[in-house]
Amino acid sequence: MKVRVLNGPNLARLDLRSSAIYGDMNFSALQEFILKTAAEVGLEAEVLQSDSETELIHWIHEAADSHTPIVINPAAFTHYSYAIRDALEMVSAPKIEVHLSNTMAREEFRHTSVVSGVVHGTIAGFGPDSYRLALIALKNLVGK
Ligand code: DQA
C-alpha cells in the first residue's frame, strides 16, 4: 500500500533551523527515516517536499484522485492555508497531519491549525517519531 508523505515550506532546510526545536536530523536523513519506518509497518512511502503551496495542492489532488493515503506536515501553511485545507477535504483515503515540534507549546499563531479539522488526526511534538507514529496509525486506518 502506497502512502504520500508531504512536507511543506522550509522543511528541506532543517539543518539550518533551530535544533532545539526541530532536532538534529537533516531533511535527507528524515526522508530515509520515513522510507525505512514506512517499510517496517508495511507501507511504501513516497516522500515529497515543496516550498510552494501550488505544488503541495497539486500533489494532494493527485492523491485524492488515486485514493492514496496522506501523511502531511504542512509546516507554516498549517496555520493559514485554507487552500490546502480545501484540497485535503477532497481526499477520501486516510490522512494524518504531523509536526516535528509541539506546536501547542510554541508561539500563539502556531496554536491554530486550519487543516486539523479535515484530517483523521494530528501527531505533534515527537520529532521524526511523529512521522513513525502517523504511519502506524495510518496503517491501522487503511486496514479497517
Ligand atoms: C512545523 C511547525 C510549524 O509551525 C512550522 O512553521 C514548521 C514546522 C513542525 O513540523 O514542527 O515549519 O510544521
Side-chain angles (χ1 to χ4, degrees):
M1 165 69 70
K2 285 193 187 214
V3 51
R4 207 159 234 206
V5 183
L6 301 178
N7 294 278
N10 301 307
L11 289 171
R13 294 166 67 86
L14 278 177
D15 49 326
L16 301 173
R17 300 182 77 179
S18 164
S19 57
I21 294 172
Y22 296 112
D24 43 26
M25 208 182 262
N26 66 26
F27 187 71
S28 65
L30 178 64
Q31 204 165 348
E32 285 304 309
F33 174 81
I34 295 167
L35 292 172
K36 184 174 136 278
T37 46
E40 278 165 13
V41 300
L43 294 166
E44 190 191 327
E46 177 188 25
V47 185
L48 300 168
Q49 188 279 331
S50 180
D51 296 330
S52 150
E53 191 178 27
T54 311
E55 196 163 29
L56 289 163
I57 289 168
H58 174 69
W59 289 334
I60 297 168
H61 288 170
E62 284 181 346
D65 293 344
S66 58
H67 303 287
T68 303
I70 287 182
V71 170
I72 184 166
N73 182 347
F77 287 142
T78 306
H79 314 300
Y80 65 92
S81 176
Y82 299 122
I84 287 181
R85 178 195 164 97
D86 286 349
L88 283 169
E89 204 167 11
M90 290 184 274
V91 176
S92 54
K95 46 202 162 168
I96 298 182
E97 173 190 358
V98 298
H99 299 284
L100 292 161
S101 65
N102 179 1
T103 48
M104 295 308 283
R106 298 181 62 195
E107 304 95 317
E108 205 164 333
F109 76 89
R110 296 186 206 274
H111 298 184
T112 300
S113 167
V114 300
V115 308
S116 289
V118 297
V119 294
H120 284 86
T122 300
I123 298 169
F126 300 97
D129 267 346
S130 292
Y131 290 83
R132 193 174 63 81
L133 296 167
L135 289 163
I136 292 167
L138 195 84
K139 174 76 179 178
N140 290 338
L141 286 170
V142 168
K144 278 188 182 150

